[in-house]
Amino acid sequence: MARSTLSTRARSADNRLQAWRSAFGGKVTGIAAQPQPWSLGTVAGARALQSGEFRFAGELVEAPATGIWDVPSPHEAFTCAVQGFGWLDDLAAAGDATARMLAQDWLWQWIERFGAARGPGWYPDLTGRRLMRWIVHAPFVLKGQDAAARHAFFKSLGRQVSYLAHAWPDAAPGLPRFEALIGLIHAAVALEGAEGLLKPARRGLAKLCEGIGPDGGLRSRNPEELLEVFALLIQADRAQRAAGHPGDAAVEEAIARIAPTLRALRLGDGALGRFNGGARGAEGLIDRSLAESGVRTPPQGEAAMGYARMRAGRTVLLMDAGATPAGIGGLRAHAGALSFEMSAGRRPLIVNQGPGDAFGPDWRRHARETGAHSTVQIGEASMARFAPASVFGCLDTETLEDGPKAVTLERAVDRSGHWLLASHDGWVASHGLTHERRLFMTPDGAELRGEDTLSAQSTRERARFARMREGAAIDWCARFHLHPDVEAELDPGGEAVRLSLRSGEVWIFRQSGGALSLEPSTYLDGRRLNPRLTQQIVVRTAAMDYASRINWVVGRAGAQARAIRDLEDAS
């Protein structure tokens, strides 16, 4: 979507908010049904808050004896996290009198400061999150409160419900819109006075569910976002049934489509592959959600949401073999076509750097570029360009444009092992080159062999390649980012890299067709305060002719003799 269209949409949403302020109505008088918590906090998190440690969106701000609304915010993601009231889960998990008093102070301060529909928390997705937490934890925060405080609480709930009923269509597509609508559904089934909103909210959610692809995927192709939508749909279905309402067929069908896709997006440690802005997934959420769904269907088809999976023995590999999301669907998309992540048993081995949202806008931008992924890169370029986007949401971001559109995938399994052949056109417009990646995994999972080729295929592409080359070779490389728990050592001759896992396993990486090096990298994990230092294997070469390639193999020590012979034959 063009920038002007996105800006117009944001202005329209802001105008709708102004109109709603003038026409506000609606009255909530109490809790009619008490839904179960949809997210769980920790006592440790509550104790940190009580001691003045405010840890949100990858940042730690130490401010003892400071109210949460007076804590200086280092960036937008921090502000969004605070306004979403996730901290209330932690204080409710502690459940003691001290935690309750703190929760009450901060909640009623929010009503005083922001309750008039002004301030950073008035976006549809944040309001949906906040509503669900206020409703779920109402018994905790209302205990001991007088009539005036209770009146202010329910008046604020009514105001937020009314706002959400008007504003949910303005939430960004994907997870934010699901959060807004499902927050409205929770309010409609739980609050006295909001019952009339259930029918239109169910219609809206059914329409959103129709947008979930036949393969159970989202336009964003973000695995973590898919997990969070899945968990929210399950909670919405459970809350309605608990309140005596029938289930919604569209929601049930969406849950049934998503479950096998999520199973296909897991690595050997049970975590999700980290692609297109998605992290590993909240601890325990995927197991809990799959169990609650009751869906036992195994993964289906060649690719799940555009990701190809190989599994042999104890080795699991996920490769991004889908088109790069563009426009609004690409608000968190990464330029990492044909990148892969790989685990050996429960130990991550080869990874992408991951999402940088938790570490501020510079890291967010860096993490989306091609060099942050285990794939092929030409020079220091990225295979897609960034375009400014303006949407009605808490985080301003950029879309990806002109990324890979023609992405092909073929796969086969026979007695010799598992085969994947994929290609993308992300370098055609800039350099006239198509990237083709061939992968082969042995039946026991002890070896993964790869071949990366850049080729100019058509007459037009060869002409573009010749213009770009201008008598000099075009430098390119294949990057393999390593998990920080992997100890990597380049052998003295520069012929191989020894990879030692904490499990005691040792893997060896070898290549032919390029120059092998071990270089610094980072691993972005939003659960930590800072990016983790790690390393990456880089194989560099140059394109002089219409086709150039790198062959490589990574295998468990003891399974290398055959791999070395094959590499020698390939070179």
Side-chain angles (χ1 to χ4, degrees):
M1 184 177 293
R3 180 182 181 183
S4 60
T5 306
L6 291 167
S7 299
T8 299
R9 186 174 179 275
R11 287 195 299 271
S12 173
D14 189 59
N15 291 338
R16 188 180 296 193
L17 174 57
Q18 298 297 333
W20 167 79
R21 288 194 184 109
S22 302
F24 169 71
K27 185 177 182 181
V28 167
T29 57
I31 302 289
Q34 188 64 55
Q36 294 296 313
W38 65 281
S39 60
L40 303 176
T42 66
V43 175
R47 299 300 177 240
L49 291 167
Q50 290 168 330
S51 65
E53 294 181 2
F54 298 91
R55 189 188 303 261
F56 299 105
E59 294 280 356
L60 172 63
V61 177
E62 296 183 274
T66 304
I68 197 167
W69 311 117
D70 296 316
V71 174
S73 175
H75 50 65
E76 288 177 303
F78 187 99
T79 301
C80 291
V82 174
Q83 289 283 340
F85 272 69
W87 49 266
L88 187 55
D89 293 335
D90 291 329
L91 295 177
D96 55 30
T98 304
R100 179 181 292 107
M101 288 179 61
L102 194 59
Q104 291 170 338
D105 287 346
W106 290 350
L107 190 150
W108 270 267
Q109 286 172 16
W110 186 92
I111 294 173
E112 293 174 4
R113 295 192 188 194
F114 307 110
R118 300 197 182 274
W122 287 88
Y123 294 103
D125 52 333
L126 290 184
T127 303
R129 289 182 226 168
R130 187 168 55 244
L131 267 178
M132 285 189 278
R133 287 182 169 117
W134 281 31
I135 292 167
V136 163
H137 299 307
F140 173 67
V141 296
L142 289 175
K143 185 175 182 179
Q145 296 292 77
D146 59 24
R150 295 173 70 91
H151 174 76
F153 178 81
F154 286 111
K155 181 179 179 180
S156 182
L157 274 178
R159 184 177 289 260
Q160 293 177 69
V161 169
S162 182
Y163 161 72
L164 204 52
H166 287 77
W168 73 260
D170 296 313
L175 177 61
R177 197 168 292 175
F178 277 98
E179 288 179 316
L181 255 181
I182 291 173
L184 188 61
I185 285 175
H186 271 71
V189 301
L191 300 178
E192 296 174 356
E195 300 91 341
L197 297 174
L198 181 58
K199 190 173 181 179
R202 281 170 63 106
R203 283 199 303 267
L205 184 59
K207 188 170 181 62
L208 280 190
C209 288
E210 291 172 2
I212 296 172
D215 66 344
L218 300 176
R219 281 180 58 195
S220 67
R221 300 189 55 242
N222 180 325
E224 185 180 33
E225 183 174 311
L226 182 67
L227 168 60
E228 292 177 357
V229 167
F230 183 64
L232 285 170
L233 289 174
I234 291 169
Q235 296 310 311
D237 183 67
R238 187 171 71 173
Q240 291 177 81
R241 292 179 186 277
H245 300 282
D248 188 307
V251 172
E252 294 169 359
E253 291 169 6
I255 290 171
R257 293 198 302 276
I258 293 173
T261 300
L262 279 176
R263 288 190 171 97
L265 296 176
R266 303 181 80 176
L267 290 162
D269 60 351
L272 295 171
R274 304 182 321 144
F275 299 93
N276 283 307
R280 293 166 47 88
E283 196 72 32
L285 180 60
I286 186 167
D287 287 324
R288 186 169 69 248
S289 298
L290 286 170
E292 290 183 5
S293 75
V295 179
R296 302 289 182 261
T297 310
Q300 306 289 316
E302 286 195 349
M305 204 165 68
Y307 298 98
R309 189 174 198 258
M310 301 175 80
R311 179 172 187 172
R314 297 169 57 250
T315 305
V316 178
L317 178 144
L318 286 174
M319 183 173 71
D320 183 352
T324 300
I328 288 184
L331 289 175
R332 296 185 67 196
H334 286 204
L338 305 196
S339 64
F340 71 90
E341 295 201 323
M342 173 181 169
S343 61
R346 297 188 61 82
R347 301 289 178 178
L349 180 57
I350 296 171
V351 297
N352 294 316
Q353 287 192 0
D357 305 59
F359 305 105
D362 291 341
W363 277 108
R364 183 190 314 155
R365 175 71 177 269
H366 163 79
R368 300 176 69 187
E369 295 175 345
T370 299
H373 299 82
S374 293
T375 188
V376 159
Q377 181 182 25
I378 296 180
E380 298 299 322
S382 210
M383 67 178 70
R385 66 178 180 87
F386 294 94
S390 177
V391 295
F392 192 55
C394 188
L395 288 177
D396 290 331
T397 188
E398 297 171 303
T399 64
L400 280 185
E401 302 292 347
D402 301 330
K405 297 179 178 61
V407 183
T408 67
L409 173 66
E410 297 177 32
R411 63 185 307 159
V413 180
D414 58 28
R415 295 179 62 182
S416 65
H418 302 254
W419 303 80
L420 283 180
L421 169 61
S423 68
H424 76 80
D425 63 349
W427 301 110
V428 168
S430 60
H431 294 80
L433 294 171
T434 294
H435 175 208
E436 184 177 88
R437 171 162 272 180
R438 297 172 182 265
L439 298 178
F440 170 75
M441 186 180 291
T442 55
D444 59 0
E447 288 179 7
L448 174 70
R449 306 177 199 175
E451 180 183 85
D452 287 302
T453 303
L454 287 181
S455 62
Q457 299 177 353
S458 69
T459 302
R460 179 177 295 180
E461 290 166 8
R462 291 184 175 191
R464 184 176 294 119
F465 171 75
R467 288 195 301 271
M468 289 298 300
R469 207 186 76 175
E470 292 184 347
I474 295 176
D475 294 331
W476 64 279
C477 68
R479 299 184 183 276
F480 305 87
H481 296 274
L482 303 175
H483 189 273
D485 289 341
V486 177
E487 294 184 10
E489 181 182 1
L490 185 65
D491 76 4
E495 298 295 327
V497 178
R498 179 185 175 90
L499 305 172
S500 301
L501 309 187
R502 288 191 174 181
S503 62
E505 276 188 6
V506 174
W507 289 66
I508 307 295
F509 181 98
R510 297 180 183 272
Q511 64 84 33
S512 68
L516 180 64
S517 63
L518 199 55
E519 301 179 11
S521 181
T522 51
Y523 181 85
L524 303 174
D525 184 349
R527 300 170 300 176
R528 292 177 176 256
L529 291 178
N530 297 297
R532 299 178 67 183
L533 297 179
T534 184
Q535 294 178 291
Q536 59 177 312
I537 298 170
V538 183
V539 183
R540 300 185 184 278
T541 190
M544 289 289 293
D545 299 319
Y546 293 136
S548 56
R549 64 179 49 86
I550 293 169
N551 292 282
W552 50 269
V553 61
V554 57
R556 241 188 331 259
Q560 284 290 298
R562 180 177 56 193
I564 293 170
R565 288 196 302 272
D566 290 344
L567 278 175
E568 290 172 346
D569 291 341
S571 60

